[in-house]
């Protein structure tokens, strides 16, 4: 499978497992899972034939590990705009987590903190390098440090996904450190 096809399939899966499953006739279960056979049938019926081998390849090589296969079912690990409960247990975060953004977002972040926007949670990275890559998707990245340890001590709940993304409801401005 060439790189372009891998990216195309990954984007297609993200769209339909995170945002618009109904567009191809899928119904995710309450935790975001769908039967692989149902997914492959739906993609084929909507003009995007994906083989089981291609699906497994995309899941295995995706650098962001966006998807999880569990037996005969698959789901996106996070980033949903459709209503799902990932059923992740609360987890104690490291002292600091990081968030990649762009400069034009900083005034709103300084005033309101980090909010989930269209997603269910704020996404945080375990290291600066990952946060830099995340921020770079929208332009020149700016990396914010999040005092996750203090947030946790103050009662904020964190979850960690199968691919190492940390989730929380919001990050108030007081817990953010901006680059100078």
């Amino acid at each position: 499978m060439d790189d372009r096809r891998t990216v195309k399939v990954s984007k297609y899966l993200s769209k339909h497992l995170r945002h618009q499953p109904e567009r191809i006739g899928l119904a995710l279960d309450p935790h975001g899972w769908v039967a692989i056979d149902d997914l492959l049938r739906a993609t084929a019926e909507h003009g995007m034939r994906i083989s089981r081998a291609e699906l497994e390849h995309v899941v295995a090589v995706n650098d962001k590990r966006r998807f999880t296969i569990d037996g005969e079912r698959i789901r996106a690990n996070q980033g949903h705009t459709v209503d799902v409960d990932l059923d992740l247990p609360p987890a104690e975060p490291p002292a600091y987590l990081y968030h990649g953004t762009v400069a034009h977002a900083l005034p709103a972040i300084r005033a309101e903190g980090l909010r989930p926007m269209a997603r269910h949670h704020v996404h945080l990275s375990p290291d600066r390098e990952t946060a830099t890559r995340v921020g770079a998707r929208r332009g020149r990245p700016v990396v914010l440090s999040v005092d996750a340890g203090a947030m946790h001590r103050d009662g904020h709940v964190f979850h960690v996904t199968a691919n190492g993304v940390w989730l929380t409801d919001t990050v108030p401005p007081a817990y953010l450190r901006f680059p100078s």
Side-chain angles (χ1 to χ4, degrees), residues 50-94:
I50 303 170
S51 71
R52 177 73 184 242
E54 284 179 311
L55 179 71
E56 290 175 358
H57 173 78
V58 167
V59 171
V61 304
N62 185 274
D63 63 335
K64 295 177 183 155
R65 299 182 312 168
R66 284 194 168 112
F67 314 103
T68 296
I69 290 178
D70 178 29
E72 293 301 312
R73 60 189 189 155
I74 186 172
R75 77 173 178 185
N77 286 323
Q78 83 278 328
H80 298 80
T81 55
V82 296
D83 191 25
V84 297
D85 173 6
L86 294 175
D87 199 29
L88 300 170
E92 183 172 349

mmCIF file of all heavy atoms in Angstrom, residues 50-94:
data_model
loop_
_atom_site.group_PDB
_atom_site.id
_atom_site.type_symbol
_atom_site.label_atom_id
_atom_site.label_comp_id
_atom_site.label_asym_id
_atom_site.label_seq_id
_atom_site.Cartn_x
_atom_site.Cartn_y
_atom_site.Cartn_z
ATOM 1 N N ILE A 50 -12.151 -0.673 0.757
ATOM 2 C CA ILE A 50 -10.997 -0.869 1.632
ATOM 3 C C ILE A 50 -10.968 -2.345 1.982
ATOM 4 O O ILE A 50 -11.968 -2.898 2.456
ATOM 5 C CB ILE A 50 -11.121 -0.029 2.922
ATOM 6 C CG1 ILE A 50 -11.280 1.453 2.604
ATOM 7 C CG2 ILE A 50 -9.916 -0.256 3.834
ATOM 8 C CD1 ILE A 50 -11.655 2.321 3.812
ATOM 9 N N SER A 51 -9.849 -2.982 1.759
ATOM 10 C CA SER A 51 -9.735 -4.399 2.125
ATOM 11 C C SER A 51 -9.404 -4.511 3.612
ATOM 12 O O SER A 51 -8.935 -3.552 4.237
ATOM 13 C CB SER A 51 -8.643 -5.073 1.293
ATOM 14 O OG SER A 51 -7.366 -4.618 1.710
ATOM 15 N N ARG A 52 -9.621 -5.690 4.148
ATOM 16 C CA ARG A 52 -9.267 -5.932 5.563
ATOM 17 C C ARG A 52 -7.763 -5.713 5.756
ATOM 18 O O ARG A 52 -7.340 -5.122 6.749
ATOM 19 C CB ARG A 52 -9.680 -7.354 5.968
ATOM 20 C CG ARG A 52 -9.299 -7.763 7.376
ATOM 21 C CD ARG A 52 -10.163 -7.060 8.416
ATOM 22 N NE ARG A 52 -9.747 -7.364 9.766
ATOM 23 C CZ ARG A 52 -10.501 -7.973 10.666
ATOM 24 N NH1 ARG A 52 -11.717 -8.366 10.364
ATOM 25 N NH2 ARG A 52 -10.053 -8.181 11.877
ATOM 26 N N ALA A 53 -6.963 -6.139 4.795
ATOM 27 C CA ALA A 53 -5.505 -5.970 4.891
ATOM 28 C C ALA A 53 -5.132 -4.486 4.892
ATOM 29 O O ALA A 53 -4.258 -4.052 5.648
ATOM 30 C CB ALA A 53 -4.805 -6.699 3.755
ATOM 31 N N GLU A 54 -5.796 -3.687 4.037
ATOM 32 C CA GLU A 54 -5.523 -2.244 4.021
ATOM 33 C C GLU A 54 -5.918 -1.604 5.356
ATOM 34 O O GLU A 54 -5.182 -0.772 5.887
ATOM 35 C CB GLU A 54 -6.299 -1.555 2.890
ATOM 36 C CG GLU A 54 -5.731 -1.776 1.517
ATOM 37 C CD GLU A 54 -6.570 -1.080 0.465
ATOM 38 O OE1 GLU A 54 -7.811 -1.229 0.452
ATOM 39 O OE2 GLU A 54 -5.951 -0.374 -0.358
ATOM 40 N N LEU A 55 -7.060 -1.997 5.869
ATOM 41 C CA LEU A 55 -7.518 -1.468 7.148
ATOM 42 C C LEU A 55 -6.499 -1.769 8.248
ATOM 43 O O LEU A 55 -6.095 -0.875 8.998
ATOM 44 C CB LEU A 55 -8.881 -2.057 7.510
ATOM 45 C CG LEU A 55 -9.464 -1.601 8.838
ATOM 46 C CD1 LEU A 55 -9.907 -0.146 8.754
ATOM 47 C CD2 LEU A 55 -10.628 -2.498 9.240
ATOM 48 N N GLU A 56 -6.076 -3.001 8.321
ATOM 49 C CA GLU A 56 -5.102 -3.388 9.344
ATOM 50 C C GLU A 56 -3.772 -2.661 9.153
ATOM 51 O O GLU A 56 -3.130 -2.263 10.128
ATOM 52 C CB GLU A 56 -4.918 -4.903 9.345
ATOM 53 C CG GLU A 56 -6.149 -5.616 9.880
ATOM 54 C CD GLU A 56 -6.071 -7.129 9.782
ATOM 55 O OE1 GLU A 56 -5.069 -7.664 9.265
ATOM 56 O OE2 GLU A 56 -7.039 -7.773 10.236
ATOM 57 N N HIS A 57 -3.381 -2.449 7.905
ATOM 58 C CA HIS A 57 -2.149 -1.713 7.612
ATOM 59 C C HIS A 57 -2.257 -0.270 8.120
ATOM 60 O O HIS A 57 -1.346 0.236 8.781
ATOM 61 C CB HIS A 57 -1.867 -1.731 6.104
ATOM 62 C CG HIS A 57 -0.719 -0.877 5.695
ATOM 63 N ND1 HIS A 57 0.595 -1.260 5.864
ATOM 64 C CD2 HIS A 57 -0.679 0.370 5.157
ATOM 65 C CE1 HIS A 57 1.381 -0.289 5.428
ATOM 66 N NE2 HIS A 57 0.631 0.710 4.994
ATOM 67 N N VAL A 58 -3.365 0.387 7.818
ATOM 68 C CA VAL A 58 -3.559 1.779 8.247
ATOM 69 C C VAL A 58 -3.533 1.881 9.767
ATOM 70 O O VAL A 58 -2.893 2.766 10.332
ATOM 71 C CB VAL A 58 -4.863 2.364 7.669
ATOM 72 C CG1 VAL A 58 -5.241 3.673 8.341
ATOM 73 C CG2 VAL A 58 -4.727 2.560 6.169
ATOM 74 N N VAL A 59 -4.199 0.969 10.437
ATOM 75 C CA VAL A 59 -4.206 0.984 11.904
ATOM 76 C C VAL A 59 -2.789 0.766 12.439
ATOM 77 O O VAL A 59 -2.351 1.453 13.363
ATOM 78 C CB VAL A 59 -5.182 -0.071 12.464
ATOM 79 C CG1 VAL A 59 -5.034 -0.220 13.976
ATOM 80 C CG2 VAL A 59 -6.617 0.287 12.090
ATOM 81 N N ALA A 60 -2.050 -0.145 11.833
ATOM 82 C CA ALA A 60 -0.710 -0.481 12.321
ATOM 83 C C ALA A 60 0.325 0.614 12.079
ATOM 84 O O ALA A 60 1.197 0.835 12.914
ATOM 85 C CB ALA A 60 -0.232 -1.783 11.680
ATOM 86 N N VAL A 61 0.238 1.314 10.941
ATOM 87 C CA VAL A 61 1.312 2.255 10.596
ATOM 88 C C VAL A 61 0.959 3.712 10.875
ATOM 89 O O VAL A 61 1.830 4.572 10.758
ATOM 90 C CB VAL A 61 1.760 2.124 9.117
ATOM 91 C CG1 VAL A 61 2.182 0.699 8.812
ATOM 92 C CG2 VAL A 61 0.687 2.599 8.155
ATOM 93 N N ASN A 62 -0.268 4.007 11.257
ATOM 94 C CA ASN A 62 -0.638 5.395 11.496
ATOM 95 C C ASN A 62 0.216 5.973 12.609
ATOM 96 O O ASN A 62 0.218 5.471 13.729
ATOM 97 C CB ASN A 62 -2.126 5.496 11.851
ATOM 98 C CG ASN A 62 -2.572 6.920 11.985
ATOM 99 O OD1 ASN A 62 -2.446 7.517 13.043
ATOM 100 N ND2 ASN A 62 -3.089 7.475 10.903
ATOM 101 N N ASP A 63 0.967 7.025 12.287
ATOM 102 C CA ASP A 63 1.909 7.581 13.259
ATOM 103 C C ASP A 63 1.214 8.164 14.478
ATOM 104 O O ASP A 63 1.801 8.258 15.547
ATOM 105 C CB ASP A 63 2.817 8.632 12.606
ATOM 106 C CG ASP A 63 2.065 9.835 12.075
ATOM 107 O OD1 ASP A 63 0.871 9.720 11.762
ATOM 108 O OD2 ASP A 63 2.690 10.912 11.967
ATOM 109 N N LYS A 64 -0.045 8.523 14.360
ATOM 110 C CA LYS A 64 -0.782 9.064 15.503
ATOM 111 C C LYS A 64 -1.613 7.992 16.207
ATOM 112 O O LYS A 64 -2.321 8.295 17.151
ATOM 113 C CB LYS A 64 -1.667 10.211 15.040
ATOM 114 C CG LYS A 64 -0.835 11.374 14.534
ATOM 115 C CD LYS A 64 -1.698 12.474 14.019
ATOM 116 C CE LYS A 64 -0.803 13.556 13.459
ATOM 117 N NZ LYS A 64 -1.446 14.351 12.463
ATOM 118 N N ARG A 65 -1.535 6.777 15.705
ATOM 119 C CA ARG A 65 -2.292 5.660 16.280
ATOM 120 C C ARG A 65 -3.736 6.073 16.567
ATOM 121 O O ARG A 65 -4.220 5.963 17.687
ATOM 122 C CB ARG A 65 -1.592 5.121 17.521
ATOM 123 C CG ARG A 65 -0.209 4.588 17.209
ATOM 124 C CD ARG A 65 0.480 4.001 18.404
ATOM 125 N NE ARG A 65 0.390 4.918 19.544
ATOM 126 C CZ ARG A 65 0.686 4.599 20.777
ATOM 127 N NH1 ARG A 65 1.084 3.394 21.065
ATOM 128 N NH2 ARG A 65 0.579 5.465 21.757
ATOM 129 N N ARG A 66 -4.395 6.529 15.529
ATOM 130 C CA ARG A 66 -5.745 7.072 15.669
ATOM 131 C C ARG A 66 -6.816 6.030 15.939
ATOM 132 O O ARG A 66 -7.895 6.356 16.401
ATOM 133 C CB ARG A 66 -6.131 7.826 14.391
ATOM 134 C CG ARG A 66 -5.486 9.155 14.270
ATOM 135 C CD ARG A 66 -6.183 9.962 13.175
ATOM 136 N NE ARG A 66 -5.759 11.331 13.243
ATOM 137 C CZ ARG A 66 -5.021 11.925 12.320
ATOM 138 N NH1 ARG A 66 -4.649 11.261 11.257
ATOM 139 N NH2 ARG A 66 -4.677 13.169 12.468
ATOM 140 N N PHE A 67 -6.549 4.772 15.596
ATOM 141 C CA PHE A 67 -7.585 3.746 15.657
ATOM 142 C C PHE A 67 -7.128 2.549 16.469
ATOM 143 O O PHE A 67 -5.943 2.259 16.549
ATOM 144 C CB PHE A 67 -7.944 3.273 14.239
ATOM 145 C CG PHE A 67 -8.127 4.409 13.274
ATOM 146 C CD1 PHE A 67 -7.137 4.715 12.358
ATOM 147 C CD2 PHE A 67 -9.285 5.174 13.293
ATOM 148 C CE1 PHE A 67 -7.287 5.774 11.477
ATOM 149 C CE2 PHE A 67 -9.436 6.239 12.421
ATOM 150 C CZ PHE A 67 -8.436 6.541 11.509
ATOM 151 N N THR A 68 -8.124 1.836 17.027
ATOM 152 C CA THR A 68 -7.860 0.588 17.744
ATOM 153 C C THR A 68 -8.762 -0.491 17.169
ATOM 154 O O THR A 68 -9.960 -0.266 16.979
ATOM 155 C CB THR A 68 -8.144 0.743 19.253
ATOM 156 O OG1 THR A 68 -7.237 1.698 19.796
ATOM 157 C CG2 THR A 68 -7.993 -0.579 19.990
ATOM 158 N N ILE A 69 -8.160 -1.637 16.907
ATOM 159 C CA ILE A 69 -8.934 -2.822 16.535
ATOM 160 C C ILE A 69 -8.956 -3.727 17.759
ATOM 161 O O ILE A 69 -7.923 -3.997 18.373
ATOM 162 C CB ILE A 69 -8.305 -3.561 15.330
ATOM 163 C CG1 ILE A 69 -8.481 -2.721 14.054
ATOM 164 C CG2 ILE A 69 -8.929 -4.942 15.160
ATOM 165 C CD1 ILE A 69 -7.860 -3.335 12.804
ATOM 166 N N ASP A 70 -10.159 -4.178 18.106
ATOM 167 C CA ASP A 70 -10.350 -5.098 19.220
ATOM 168 C C ASP A 70 -11.179 -6.262 18.685
ATOM 169 O O ASP A 70 -12.402 -6.149 18.549
ATOM 170 C CB ASP A 70 -11.060 -4.377 20.364
ATOM 171 C CG ASP A 70 -11.350 -5.295 21.547
ATOM 172 O OD1 ASP A 70 -10.593 -6.255 21.754
ATOM 173 O OD2 ASP A 70 -12.350 -5.044 22.258
ATOM 174 N N GLY A 71 -10.497 -7.347 18.351
ATOM 175 C CA GLY A 71 -11.195 -8.488 17.772
ATOM 176 C C GLY A 71 -11.780 -8.143 16.425
ATOM 177 O O GLY A 71 -11.053 -7.800 15.494
ATOM 178 N N GLU A 72 -13.093 -8.152 16.328
ATOM 179 C CA GLU A 72 -13.782 -7.879 15.063
ATOM 180 C C GLU A 72 -14.426 -6.499 15.025
ATOM 181 O O GLU A 72 -15.342 -6.256 14.247
ATOM 182 C CB GLU A 72 -14.834 -8.971 14.802
ATOM 183 C CG GLU A 72 -14.220 -10.335 14.537
ATOM 184 C CD GLU A 72 -13.286 -10.318 13.333
ATOM 185 O OE1 GLU A 72 -13.664 -9.788 12.272
ATOM 186 O OE2 GLU A 72 -12.157 -10.848 13.455
ATOM 187 N N ARG A 73 -13.918 -5.589 15.866
ATOM 188 C CA ARG A 73 -14.468 -4.239 15.862
ATOM 189 C C ARG A 73 -13.337 -3.215 15.865
ATOM 190 O O ARG A 73 -12.191 -3.526 16.192
ATOM 191 C CB ARG A 73 -15.417 -4.031 17.040
ATOM 192 C CG ARG A 73 -14.751 -4.224 18.381
ATOM 193 C CD ARG A 73 -15.743 -4.233 19.511
ATOM 194 N NE ARG A 73 -15.015 -4.203 20.782
ATOM 195 C CZ ARG A 73 -15.488 -3.757 21.905
ATOM 196 N NH1 ARG A 73 -16.733 -3.302 21.959
ATOM 197 N NH2 ARG A 73 -14.763 -3.762 23.004
ATOM 198 N N ILE A 74 -13.693 -1.975 15.504
ATOM 199 C CA ILE A 74 -12.723 -0.891 15.392
ATOM 200 C C ILE A 74 -13.361 0.386 15.919
ATOM 201 O O ILE A 74 -14.583 0.547 15.866
ATOM 202 C CB ILE A 74 -12.269 -0.697 13.917
ATOM 203 C CG1 ILE A 74 -11.148 0.349 13.817
ATOM 204 C CG2 ILE A 74 -13.444 -0.374 13.009
ATOM 205 C CD1 ILE A 74 -10.514 0.441 12.424
ATOM 206 N N ARG A 75 -12.515 1.291 16.436
ATOM 207 C CA ARG A 75 -12.990 2.622 16.788
ATOM 208 C C ARG A 75 -11.838 3.618 16.681
ATOM 209 O O ARG A 75 -10.666 3.235 16.684
ATOM 210 C CB ARG A 75 -13.602 2.685 18.187
ATOM 211 C CG ARG A 75 -12.597 2.710 19.322
ATOM 212 C CD ARG A 75 -13.302 2.954 20.631
ATOM 213 N NE ARG A 75 -12.376 2.940 21.752
ATOM 214 C CZ ARG A 75 -12.752 3.028 22.998
ATOM 215 N NH1 ARG A 75 -14.037 3.130 23.311
ATOM 216 N NH2 ARG A 75 -11.855 3.021 23.966
ATOM 217 N N ALA A 76 -12.199 4.890 16.604
ATOM 218 C CA ALA A 76 -11.216 5.962 16.696
ATOM 219 C C ALA A 76 -10.890 6.144 18.177
ATOM 220 O O ALA A 76 -11.756 5.994 19.038
ATOM 221 C CB ALA A 76 -11.778 7.246 16.115
ATOM 222 N N ASN A 77 -9.629 6.460 18.470
ATOM 223 C CA ASN A 77 -9.202 6.569 19.862
ATOM 224 C C ASN A 77 -9.649 7.846 20.550
ATOM 225 O O ASN A 77 -9.790 7.867 21.770
ATOM 226 C CB ASN A 77 -7.680 6.430 19.959
ATOM 227 C CG ASN A 77 -7.243 5.008 19.755
ATOM 228 O OD1 ASN A 77 -7.910 4.078 20.189
ATOM 229 N ND2 ASN A 77 -6.133 4.817 19.074
ATOM 230 N N GLN A 78 -9.825 8.920 19.818
ATOM 231 C CA GLN A 78 -10.302 10.176 20.381
ATOM 232 C C GLN A 78 -10.614 11.130 19.252
ATOM 233 O O GLN A 78 -10.430 10.807 18.105
ATOM 234 C CB GLN A 78 -9.294 10.804 21.346
ATOM 235 C CG GLN A 78 -8.187 11.627 20.706
ATOM 236 C CD GLN A 78 -7.039 10.805 20.186
ATOM 237 O OE1 GLN A 78 -6.729 9.774 20.751
ATOM 238 N NE2 GLN A 78 -6.422 11.228 19.111
ATOM 239 N N GLY A 79 -11.080 12.326 19.599
ATOM 240 C CA GLY A 79 -11.330 13.361 18.607
ATOM 241 C C GLY A 79 -12.731 13.354 18.031
ATOM 242 O O GLY A 79 -13.006 14.035 17.046
ATOM 243 N N HIS A 80 -13.641 12.633 18.652
ATOM 244 C CA HIS A 80 -15.003 12.535 18.138
ATOM 245 C C HIS A 80 -15.765 13.845 18.279
ATOM 246 O O HIS A 80 -15.627 14.548 19.279
ATOM 247 C CB HIS A 80 -15.778 11.454 18.901
ATOM 248 C CG HIS A 80 -15.209 10.092 18.767
ATOM 249 N ND1 HIS A 80 -14.134 9.662 19.504
ATOM 250 C CD2 HIS A 80 -15.564 9.064 17.969
ATOM 251 C CE1 HIS A 80 -13.854 8.408 19.176
ATOM 252 N NE2 HIS A 80 -14.702 8.023 18.241
ATOM 253 N N THR A 81 -16.586 14.122 17.283
ATOM 254 C CA THR A 81 -17.572 15.183 17.408
ATOM 255 C C THR A 81 -18.969 14.576 17.544
ATOM 256 O O THR A 81 -19.901 15.285 17.896
ATOM 257 C CB THR A 81 -17.524 16.157 16.208
ATOM 258 O OG1 THR A 81 -17.684 15.426 15.003
ATOM 259 C CG2 THR A 81 -16.214 16.932 16.186
ATOM 260 N N VAL A 82 -19.095 13.277 17.280
ATOM 261 C CA VAL A 82 -20.355 12.581 17.535
ATOM 262 C C VAL A 82 -20.347 12.131 18.990
ATOM 263 O O VAL A 82 -19.298 12.013 19.618
ATOM 264 C CB VAL A 82 -20.560 11.369 16.586
ATOM 265 C CG1 VAL A 82 -20.677 11.839 15.149
ATOM 266 C CG2 VAL A 82 -19.473 10.331 16.736
ATOM 267 N N ASP A 83 -21.524 11.868 19.515
ATOM 268 C CA ASP A 83 -21.663 11.540 20.929
ATOM 269 C C ASP A 83 -21.231 10.101 21.198
ATOM 270 O O ASP A 83 -21.922 9.157 20.810
ATOM 271 C CB ASP A 83 -23.114 11.762 21.358
ATOM 272 C CG ASP A 83 -23.288 11.709 22.855
ATOM 273 O OD1 ASP A 83 -22.311 11.978 23.582
ATOM 274 O OD2 ASP A 83 -24.406 11.400 23.303
ATOM 275 N N VAL A 84 -20.073 9.948 21.829
ATOM 276 C CA VAL A 84 -19.598 8.639 22.272
ATOM 277 C C VAL A 84 -18.989 8.790 23.662
ATOM 278 O O VAL A 84 -18.536 9.865 24.042
ATOM 279 C CB VAL A 84 -18.541 8.012 21.320
ATOM 280 C CG1 VAL A 84 -19.120 7.748 19.957
ATOM 281 C CG2 VAL A 84 -17.308 8.853 21.232
ATOM 282 N N ASP A 85 -18.992 7.706 24.404
ATOM 283 C CA ASP A 85 -18.321 7.639 25.700
ATOM 284 C C ASP A 85 -17.200 6.633 25.536
ATOM 285 O O ASP A 85 -17.440 5.438 25.413
ATOM 286 C CB ASP A 85 -19.306 7.186 26.777
ATOM 287 C CG ASP A 85 -18.639 6.935 28.119
ATOM 288 O OD1 ASP A 85 -17.429 7.214 28.278
ATOM 289 O OD2 ASP A 85 -19.341 6.434 29.024
ATOM 290 N N LEU A 86 -15.969 7.115 25.502
ATOM 291 C CA LEU A 86 -14.829 6.219 25.281
ATOM 292 C C LEU A 86 -14.585 5.285 26.457
ATOM 293 O O LEU A 86 -13.763 4.384 26.368
ATOM 294 C CB LEU A 86 -13.575 7.036 24.956
ATOM 295 C CG LEU A 86 -13.643 7.802 23.641
ATOM 296 C CD1 LEU A 86 -12.401 8.669 23.466
ATOM 297 C CD2 LEU A 86 -13.813 6.860 22.469
ATOM 298 N N ASP A 87 -15.312 5.488 27.546
ATOM 299 C CA ASP A 87 -15.244 4.597 28.699
ATOM 300 C C ASP A 87 -13.813 4.456 29.213
ATOM 301 O O ASP A 87 -13.357 3.363 29.528
ATOM 302 C CB ASP A 87 -15.848 3.231 28.344
ATOM 303 C CG ASP A 87 -16.220 2.427 29.576
ATOM 304 O OD1 ASP A 87 -16.548 3.032 30.607
ATOM 305 O OD2 ASP A 87 -16.172 1.176 29.500
ATOM 306 N N LEU A 88 -13.118 5.584 29.272
ATOM 307 C CA LEU A 88 -11.738 5.583 29.760
ATOM 308 C C LEU A 88 -11.740 5.875 31.258
ATOM 309 O O LEU A 88 -12.401 6.817 31.701
ATOM 310 C CB LEU A 88 -10.909 6.647 29.035
ATOM 311 C CG LEU A 88 -10.794 6.500 27.528
ATOM 312 C CD1 LEU A 88 -10.151 7.748 26.924
ATOM 313 C CD2 LEU A 88 -9.998 5.259 27.178
ATOM 314 N N PRO A 89 -10.991 5.116 32.026
ATOM 315 C CA PRO A 89 -10.951 5.381 33.471
ATOM 316 C C PRO A 89 -10.156 6.663 33.754
ATOM 317 O O PRO A 89 -9.281 7.051 32.975
ATOM 318 C CB PRO A 89 -10.220 4.158 34.034
ATOM 319 C CG PRO A 89 -9.366 3.682 32.911
ATOM 320 C CD PRO A 89 -10.148 3.979 31.654
ATOM 321 N N PRO A 90 -10.460 7.336 34.863
ATOM 322 C CA PRO A 90 -9.636 8.484 35.246
ATOM 323 C C PRO A 90 -8.182 8.031 35.445
ATOM 324 O O PRO A 90 -7.922 6.897 35.846
ATOM 325 C CB PRO A 90 -10.246 8.933 36.575
ATOM 326 C CG PRO A 90 -11.644 8.401 36.556
ATOM 327 C CD PRO A 90 -11.567 7.105 35.780
ATOM 328 N N ALA A 91 -7.272 8.940 35.110
ATOM 329 C CA ALA A 91 -5.843 8.612 35.228
ATOM 330 C C ALA A 91 -5.102 9.806 35.826
ATOM 331 O O ALA A 91 -5.471 10.964 35.583
ATOM 332 C CB ALA A 91 -5.264 8.279 33.854
ATOM 333 N N GLU A 92 -4.069 9.526 36.593
ATOM 334 C CA GLU A 92 -3.254 10.597 37.147
ATOM 335 C C GLU A 92 -2.248 11.042 36.093
ATOM 336 O O GLU A 92 -1.440 10.242 35.627
ATOM 337 C CB GLU A 92 -2.521 10.133 38.401
ATOM 338 C CG GLU A 92 -1.728 11.255 39.049
ATOM 339 C CD GLU A 92 -1.140 10.876 40.386
ATOM 340 O OE1 GLU A 92 -1.505 9.820 40.936
ATOM 341 O OE2 GLU A 92 -0.299 11.641 40.882
ATOM 342 N N PRO A 93 -2.300 12.323 35.724
ATOM 343 C CA PRO A 93 -1.410 12.799 34.659
ATOM 344 C C PRO A 93 -0.001 13.056 35.180
ATOM 345 O O PRO A 93 0.209 13.164 36.394
ATOM 346 C CB PRO A 93 -2.068 14.120 34.240
ATOM 347 C CG PRO A 93 -2.659 14.637 35.520
ATOM 348 C CD PRO A 93 -3.168 13.387 36.231
ATOM 349 N N PRO A 94 0.944 13.186 34.267
ATOM 350 C CA PRO A 94 2.277 13.643 34.677
ATOM 351 C C PRO A 94 2.176 15.091 35.160
ATOM 352 O O PRO A 94 1.146 15.751 34.974
ATOM 353 C CB PRO A 94 3.107 13.533 33.400
ATOM 354 C CG PRO A 94 2.122 13.548 32.294
ATOM 355 C CD PRO A 94 0.848 12.973 32.836
#
